[in-house]
């Protein structure tokens, strides 16, 4: 058993899944916003980075790690809600390119602001769990407390979001508002409020991803989410943008692909993994691997 | 009760409704008739606040709802079954019904059971996705979803559209029954004037956005000219 767990194959599986869950979280957060407001939020990564800066730098003032996580998520949610209200709401009903342009601009603003406030040097957050691999009779098992923490947290958040959408009154209203806004209003549902809550949820999920990234080897710097956002975006696209399950699966797929390319080919081409999967997926199923219908209703 | 006063609606330069006025009493069905483009759907959408009028007032039980947000008009007891029924296909029958009950002060379990009793086929299909329902079943679901919130006013936009004649006849009987037992104010928009006039107490005929007739359903049905020119019903 321990020999098997020490094999490089298992090492790569664990490594790929650990990165993959982060991509899955980012992809999931993009899908939540896309479903409710049909906006591709290009500032998703930057918003999460910004919230993480505000939350995690509280560590400097002696605030405990988990409190900082909670602050980051709360700040992320407030930032998400405000973004919908202030930047996105005036653009409903306008051409779909408008919110994209606004959010790309917002991405630039947030990254510049973060550099100005916190400088662009990488900060390492005191990690809450050890990154040292476990050992079994002298054999390395390629799991550390940190990897377990990141997987459990990410999967826990995904299950929580799924349960919220599936089983709660709020989730039902969120789904209805996204699927049929006008009918929902005729049924007395406050659709505007639901859209704001959707953005808050999404930004909260994004902030969790950024907190995990900042707590690991990668560290925290103003552009630390850029590459991760791209991978998350590709993951969401593979899933078809409409499917939370597809987003999660897409994220894991890209994480694994990158890890195996890194291990058996070259670290320099690892980011290609996601692109290759996207191209293949789009050729096989242009509507996304997990989307049921060929086209969306307008 | 609904009272519409001097209501005008423009779509850009096009006048969709011109100085429309009529009253729909409680406990009665008021049919809104007219050809395509007469302004029937616009009238219902304006009452629900989806369309903002240029002028005029809409009283629901003596309360002017013009300028109030759609969701708040719904919460004041206005149930609107839109054209094409508005059943959310991706959700199950029960989820659609639960949505209808969310904004109302009702006990969910009791309310669901009541609707399943009223429309038994919905009870049998409660876990099914609405994309699997037939046209008649969808219409029943749309009605049940509006009724579950215990509305005082029910706006029905072309409920017979796409239904077989027997299904339409049954649906009209259900509407007549509901109006009586729940003391509803029903505004029934129909192109199918004949089947609507059969159950309506009153009728309003619209032509190019204006009211051309307004009175007891029996009188409208008996008026040969109205029938020929505006309702497209030649033989009786």
């Amino acid at each position: 058993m321990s020999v098997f767990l020490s094999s490089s194959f298992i090492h790569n599986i664990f490594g790929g899944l650990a990165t993959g869950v982060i991509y899955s979280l980012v992809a999931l957060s993009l899908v939540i916003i896309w479903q409710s407001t049909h906006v591709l939020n290009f500032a998703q990564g930057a918003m999460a980075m910004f919230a993480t800066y505000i939350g995690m730098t509280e560590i400097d003032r002696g605030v405990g790690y988990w409190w900082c996580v909670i602050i980051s998520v709360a700040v992320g949610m407030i930032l998400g809600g405000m973004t919908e209200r202030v930047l996105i709401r005036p653009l409903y009903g306008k051409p779909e390119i408008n919110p994209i342009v606004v959010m790309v601009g917002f991405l630039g603003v947030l990254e510049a602001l973060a550099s100005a406030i916190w400088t662009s040097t990488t900060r390492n957050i005191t990690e809450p769990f050890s990154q040292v691999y476990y050992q079994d009779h002298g054999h390395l098992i390629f799991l550390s407390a940190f990897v377990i923490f990141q997987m459990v947290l990410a999967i826990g958040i995904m299950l929580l979001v799924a349960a919220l959408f599936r089983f709660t009154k709020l989730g039902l209203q969120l789904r209805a508002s996204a699927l049929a806004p006008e009918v929902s209003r005729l049924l007395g549902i406050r659709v505007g409020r639901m859209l704001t809550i959707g953005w808050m949820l999404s930004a909260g999920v994004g902030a969790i991803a950024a907190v995990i990234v900042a707590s690991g080897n990668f560290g925290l710097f103003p552009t630390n989410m850029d590459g991760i956002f791209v991978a998350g975006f590709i993951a969401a696209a593979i899933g078809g943008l409409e499917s939370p399950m597809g987003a999660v699966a897409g994220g894991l797929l890209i994480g694994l692909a990158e890890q195996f390319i890194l291990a058996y080919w070259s670290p320099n081409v690892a980011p290609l993994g996601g692109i290759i999967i996207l191209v293949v997926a789009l050729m096989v199923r242009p509507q996304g691997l997990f989307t049921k219908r060929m086209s969306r209703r307008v | 009760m609904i009272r519409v006063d001097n209501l005008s609606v423009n779509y850009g330069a096009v006048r969709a409704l011109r100085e429309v006025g009529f009253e729909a009493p409680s406990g009665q069905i008021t049919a809104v008739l007219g050809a395509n483009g007469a302004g029937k759907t616009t009238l219902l959408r304006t009452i629900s606040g989806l369309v903002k009028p240029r002028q005029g007032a809409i009283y629901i039980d003596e309360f002017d709802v013009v300028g109030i947000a759609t969701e708040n008009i719904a919460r004041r007891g206005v149930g609107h079954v839109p054209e094409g029924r508005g059943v959310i296909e991706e959700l199950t029958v029960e989820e659609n019904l639960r949505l209808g009950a969310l904004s109302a002060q009702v006990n969910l379990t009791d309310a669901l059971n009541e609707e399943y009793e009223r429309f038994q086929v919905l009870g049998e299909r409660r876990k099914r996705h609405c994309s699997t329902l037939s046209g008649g079943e969808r219409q029943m679901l749309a009605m049940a979803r509006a009724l579950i919130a215990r509305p005082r006013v029910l706006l029905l936009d072309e409920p017979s559209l796409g239904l077989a004649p027997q299904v339409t006849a049954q649906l009209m009987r259900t509407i007549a029954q509901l109006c009586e037992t729940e003391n509803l104010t029903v505004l029934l928009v129909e192109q199918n004037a004949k089947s609507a006039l059969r159950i309506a107490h009153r009728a309003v005929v619209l032509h190019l956005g204006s009211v051309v007739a307004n009175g007891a359903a029996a009188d409208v049905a008996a008026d040969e000219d109205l029938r020929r020119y505006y309702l497209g019903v030649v033989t009786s």
Side-chain angles (χ1 to χ4, degrees):
Chain A
M1 183 65 183
S2 60
V3 175
F4 175 67
L5 284 178
S6 311
S7 70
S8 71
F9 180 77
I10 289 299
H11 177 200
N12 289 324
I13 294 275
F14 286 156
L17 290 178
T19 328
V21 288
I22 295 172
Y23 298 161
S24 296
L25 279 181
V26 173
L28 179 64
S29 74
L30 289 171
V31 167
I32 296 173
I33 285 187
W34 172 262
Q35 279 191 321
S36 63
T37 50
H38 281 240
V39 172
L40 268 177
N41 184 10
F42 278 85
Q44 189 79 0
M47 284 164 64
M49 171 276 299
F50 203 82
T52 307
Y53 256 115
I54 293 179
M56 298 318 277
T57 49
E58 287 299 305
I59 282 186
D60 300 350
R61 297 193 218 180
V63 179
Y65 178 84
W66 289 103
W67 283 112
C68 293
V69 174
I70 291 170
I71 295 169
S72 302
V73 173
V75 169
M77 290 178 83
I78 293 167
L79 187 60
M82 276 171 37
T83 305
E84 193 273 335
R85 277 284 152 115
V86 178
L87 294 179
I88 298 299
R89 187 154 294 194
L91 303 177
Y92 291 142
K94 304 267 166 60
E96 288 201 350
I97 189 76
N98 292 17
I100 292 179
V101 172
V102 168
M103 292 321 282
V104 170
F106 194 42
L107 158 86
V109 169
L110 285 174
E111 290 188 350
L113 211 56
S115 297
I117 302 174
W118 296 289
T119 77
S120 48
T121 353
T122 304
R123 299 174 62 109
N124 287 303
I125 310 294
T126 331
E127 55 206 49
F129 297 97
S130 162
Q131 302 230 32
V132 179
Y133 288 137
Y134 291 122
Q135 289 193 21
D136 181 32
H137 299 101
H139 292 288
L140 276 180
I141 296 170
F142 294 101
L143 277 177
S144 62
F146 184 78
V147 168
I148 292 175
F149 149 78
Q150 102 183 49
M151 292 215 227
V152 168
L153 182 58
I155 293 166
I157 292 292
M158 289 173 210
L159 292 176
L160 215 62
V161 170
L164 174 88
F165 273 91
R166 187 85 183 73
F167 298 116
T168 68
K169 280 183 192 172
L170 177 65
L172 181 60
Q173 294 180 76
L174 285 166
R175 282 187 287 155
S177 301
L179 291 166
E182 187 172 291
V183 168
S184 298
R185 295 181 69 201
L186 287 176
L187 296 174
I189 292 164
R190 303 194 191 286
V191 172
R193 193 177 293 175
M194 290 306 132
L195 300 185
T196 308
I197 293 174
W199 273 72
M200 290 175 73
L201 263 176
S202 160
V205 172
I208 291 275
V211 163
I212 296 176
V213 170
S215 305
N217 288 332
F218 213 60
L220 180 57
F221 50 97
T223 54
N224 74 334
M225 291 299 285
D226 284 4
I228 292 160
F229 167 79
V230 172
F233 174 63
I234 294 173
I238 289 172
L241 271 180
E242 305 250 325
S243 154
M245 279 286 293
V248 170
L252 296 178
L253 213 59
I254 292 177
L256 287 169
E258 282 189 5
Q259 179 71 30
F260 276 92
I261 291 176
L262 181 141
Y264 295 110
W265 190 0
S266 153
N268 296 327
V269 289
L272 272 180
I275 308 282
I276 294 168
I277 291 183
L278 179 66
V279 171
V280 173
L282 288 182
M283 284 195 303
V284 180
R285 277 179 71 89
Q287 72 274 35
L289 292 180
F290 287 81
T291 309
K292 284 185 209 111
R293 278 163 307 152
M294 194 65 188
S295 59
R296 256 186 312 112
R297 261 180 319 161
V298 184
Chain B
M1 186 217 55
I2 306 172
R3 187 155 55 85
V4 174
D5 241 1
N6 198 28
L7 189 71
S8 295
V9 171
N10 287 12
Y11 289 133
V14 182
R15 275 272 189 113
L17 292 178
R18 307 163 184 257
E19 290 149 27
V20 167
F22 67 91
E23 204 175 304
S26 301
Q28 294 196 6
I29 298 172
T30 303
V32 179
L33 309 171
N36 249 338
K40 307 185 298 289
T41 295
T42 300
L43 174 64
L44 294 199
R45 290 174 63 83
T46 312
I47 293 173
S48 277
L50 291 169
V51 174
K52 298 278 166 265
R54 203 174 60 87
Q55 62 166 40
I58 299 162
Y59 296 96
I60 307 272
D61 293 341
E62 303 303 327
F63 184 89
D64 187 1
V65 296
V66 167
I68 294 181
T70 299
E71 48 270 41
N72 292 327
I73 293 176
R75 282 161 186 259
R76 295 192 66 89
V78 176
H80 185 154
V81 179
E83 203 177 6
R85 300 165 191 130
V87 162
I88 304 179
E89 300 210 354
E90 292 87 345
L91 303 182
T92 63
V93 169
E94 186 148 312
E95 283 174 331
N96 266 282
L97 288 173
R98 275 171 51 205
L99 270 181
L102 272 178
S103 64
Q105 313 293 324
V106 294
N107 177 310
L108 183 64
T109 321
D110 293 350
L112 278 174
N113 285 335
E114 203 169 307
E115 296 311 319
Y116 289 147
E117 213 164 287
R118 195 185 336 253
F119 302 101
Q120 282 175 4
V121 65
L122 297 181
E124 293 157 19
R125 311 227 188 298
R126 64 175 80 183
K127 299 288 174 207
R128 295 260 291 264
H129 274 262
C130 295
S131 49
T132 65
L133 298 185
S134 72
E137 288 164 352
R138 281 168 202 231
Q139 190 60 56
M140 279 183 225
L141 174 57
M143 298 252 292
R145 193 179 61 182
L147 290 169
I148 200 168
R150 305 275 174 279
R152 291 171 295 156
V153 168
L154 192 58
L155 311 176
L156 301 173
D157 199 346
E158 303 259 13
S160 74
L161 199 72
L163 297 186
Q166 314 91 286
V167 183
T168 302
Q170 196 204 339
L171 182 73
M172 291 295 162
R173 275 199 299 277
T174 312
I175 294 171
Q177 234 168 37
L178 281 172
C179 176
E180 205 169 298
T181 55
E182 315 278 317
N183 194 34
L184 281 170
T185 307
V186 178
L187 218 50
L188 174 62
V189 160
E190 267 296 342
Q191 264 198 77
N192 186 343
K194 222 168 136 184
S195 65
L197 283 172
R198 212 169 281 151
I199 60 160
H201 304 88
R202 303 185 58 79
V204 175
V205 181
L206 291 177
H207 181 68
L208 299 177
S210 300
V211 174
V212 292
N214 174 12
D219 296 342
V220 170
D223 190 320
E224 193 66 40
D225 289 344
L226 268 181
R227 281 191 356 220
R228 183 172 306 141
Y229 294 124
Y230 301 119
L231 306 180
V233 184
V234 181
T235 54
S236 51

